[in-house]
PDB file of all heavy atoms in Angstrom:
ATOM      1  N   PHE G 174     -14.043  -1.234  -8.602  1.00 95.00           N
ATOM      2  CA  PHE G 174     -13.336  -0.223  -9.397  1.00 95.00           C
ATOM      3  C   PHE G 174     -14.256   0.360 -10.460  1.00 95.00           C
ATOM      4  O   PHE G 174     -14.238   1.564 -10.719  1.00 95.00           O
ATOM      5  CB  PHE G 174     -12.108  -0.842 -10.062  1.00 95.00           C
ATOM      6  CG  PHE G 174     -11.432   0.085 -11.029  1.00 95.00           C
ATOM      7  CD1 PHE G 174     -10.566   1.076 -10.586  1.00 95.00           C
ATOM      8  CD2 PHE G 174     -11.690  -0.005 -12.402  1.00 95.00           C
ATOM      9  CE1 PHE G 174      -9.962   1.956 -11.482  1.00 95.00           C
ATOM     10  CE2 PHE G 174     -11.084   0.873 -13.300  1.00 95.00           C
ATOM     11  CZ  PHE G 174     -10.217   1.850 -12.836  1.00 95.00           C
ATOM     12  N   HIS G 175     -15.093  -0.496 -11.057  1.00 95.00           N
ATOM     13  CA  HIS G 175     -15.938  -0.060 -12.161  1.00 95.00           C
ATOM     14  C   HIS G 175     -16.912   1.037 -11.715  1.00 95.00           C
ATOM     15  O   HIS G 175     -17.171   1.985 -12.460  1.00 95.00           O
ATOM     16  CB  HIS G 175     -16.697  -1.264 -12.747  1.00 95.00           C
ATOM     17  CG  HIS G 175     -15.776  -2.343 -13.213  1.00 95.00           C
ATOM     18  ND1 HIS G 175     -14.992  -2.223 -14.336  1.00 95.00           N
ATOM     19  CD2 HIS G 175     -15.477  -3.557 -12.684  1.00 95.00           C
ATOM     20  CE1 HIS G 175     -14.263  -3.306 -14.505  1.00 95.00           C
ATOM     21  NE2 HIS G 175     -14.534  -4.137 -13.508  1.00 95.00           N
ATOM     22  N   GLU G 176     -17.448   0.903 -10.522  1.00 94.00           N
ATOM     23  CA  GLU G 176     -18.363   1.936 -10.027  1.00 94.00           C
ATOM     24  C   GLU G 176     -17.635   3.253  -9.816  1.00 94.00           C
ATOM     25  O   GLU G 176     -18.122   4.328 -10.159  1.00 94.00           O
ATOM     26  CB  GLU G 176     -19.022   1.482  -8.725  1.00 94.00           C
ATOM     27  CG  GLU G 176     -20.063   0.402  -8.916  1.00 94.00           C
ATOM     28  CD  GLU G 176     -20.806   0.104  -7.637  1.00 94.00           C
ATOM     29  OE1 GLU G 176     -20.756   0.953  -6.717  1.00 94.00           O
ATOM     30  OE2 GLU G 176     -21.422  -0.965  -7.560  1.00 94.00           O
ATOM     31  N   TRP G 177     -16.430   3.173  -9.200  1.00 95.00           N
ATOM     32  CA  TRP G 177     -15.663   4.407  -8.980  1.00 95.00           C
ATOM     33  C   TRP G 177     -15.274   5.040 -10.319  1.00 95.00           C
ATOM     34  O   TRP G 177     -15.405   6.246 -10.510  1.00 95.00           O
ATOM     35  CB  TRP G 177     -14.395   4.099  -8.171  1.00 95.00           C
ATOM     36  CG  TRP G 177     -13.514   5.306  -8.091  1.00 95.00           C
ATOM     37  CD1 TRP G 177     -13.667   6.373  -7.252  1.00 95.00           C
ATOM     38  CD2 TRP G 177     -12.378   5.602  -8.922  1.00 95.00           C
ATOM     39  NE1 TRP G 177     -12.696   7.311  -7.505  1.00 95.00           N
ATOM     40  CE2 TRP G 177     -11.894   6.867  -8.520  1.00 95.00           C
ATOM     41  CE3 TRP G 177     -11.723   4.914  -9.947  1.00 95.00           C
ATOM     42  CZ2 TRP G 177     -10.777   7.461  -9.119  1.00 95.00           C
ATOM     43  CZ3 TRP G 177     -10.617   5.506 -10.546  1.00 95.00           C
ATOM     44  CH2 TRP G 177     -10.164   6.765 -10.134  1.00 95.00           C
ATOM     45  N   TRP G 178     -14.823   4.204 -11.244  1.00 95.00           N
ATOM     46  CA  TRP G 178     -14.367   4.688 -12.546  1.00 95.00           C
ATOM     47  C   TRP G 178     -15.519   5.359 -13.302  1.00 95.00           C
ATOM     48  O   TRP G 178     -15.355   6.419 -13.907  1.00 95.00           O
ATOM     49  CB  TRP G 178     -13.798   3.520 -13.340  1.00 95.00           C
ATOM     50  CG  TRP G 178     -13.293   3.863 -14.714  1.00 95.00           C
ATOM     51  CD1 TRP G 178     -13.788   3.417 -15.910  1.00 95.00           C
ATOM     52  CD2 TRP G 178     -12.186   4.713 -15.048  1.00 95.00           C
ATOM     53  NE1 TRP G 178     -13.063   3.931 -16.958  1.00 95.00           N
ATOM     54  CE2 TRP G 178     -12.076   4.737 -16.456  1.00 95.00           C
ATOM     55  CE3 TRP G 178     -11.279   5.452 -14.297  1.00 95.00           C
ATOM     56  CZ2 TRP G 178     -11.097   5.474 -17.119  1.00 95.00           C
ATOM     57  CZ3 TRP G 178     -10.291   6.203 -14.970  1.00 95.00           C
ATOM     58  CH2 TRP G 178     -10.217   6.192 -16.354  1.00 95.00           C
ATOM     59  N   LYS G 179     -16.689   4.752 -13.251  1.00 94.00           N
ATOM     60  CA  LYS G 179     -17.864   5.306 -13.919  1.00 94.00           C
ATOM     61  C   LYS G 179     -18.200   6.687 -13.348  1.00 94.00           C
ATOM     62  O   LYS G 179     -18.452   7.648 -14.084  1.00 94.00           O
ATOM     63  CB  LYS G 179     -19.054   4.361 -13.730  1.00 94.00           C
ATOM     64  CG  LYS G 179     -20.327   4.824 -14.398  1.00 94.00           C
ATOM     65  CD  LYS G 179     -21.458   3.822 -14.145  1.00 94.00           C
ATOM     66  CE  LYS G 179     -22.779   4.343 -14.717  1.00 94.00           C
ATOM     67  NZ  LYS G 179     -23.888   3.415 -14.393  1.00 94.00           N
ATOM     68  N   GLY G 180     -18.175   6.786 -12.027  1.00 93.00           N
ATOM     69  CA  GLY G 180     -18.459   8.068 -11.389  1.00 93.00           C
ATOM     70  C   GLY G 180     -17.412   9.118 -11.725  1.00 93.00           C
ATOM     71  O   GLY G 180     -17.721  10.303 -11.930  1.00 93.00           O
ATOM     72  N   GLU G 181     -16.145   8.700 -11.806  1.00 92.00           N
ATOM     73  CA  GLU G 181     -15.055   9.636 -12.117  1.00 92.00           C
ATOM     74  C   GLU G 181     -15.209  10.180 -13.538  1.00 92.00           C
ATOM     75  O   GLU G 181     -15.017  11.377 -13.782  1.00 92.00           O
ATOM     76  CB  GLU G 181     -13.720   8.914 -11.951  1.00 92.00           C
ATOM     77  CG  GLU G 181     -12.511   9.818 -11.893  1.00 92.00           C
ATOM     78  CD  GLU G 181     -12.389  10.590 -10.595  1.00 92.00           C
ATOM     79  OE1 GLU G 181     -13.188  10.338  -9.667  1.00 92.00           O
ATOM     80  OE2 GLU G 181     -11.509  11.451 -10.502  1.00 92.00           O
TER      81      GLU G 181
END
Side-chain angles (χ1 to χ4, degrees):
F174 173 81
H175 302 288
E176 287 187 18
W177 173 80
W178 180 244
K179 181 180 175 184
E181 195 73 7

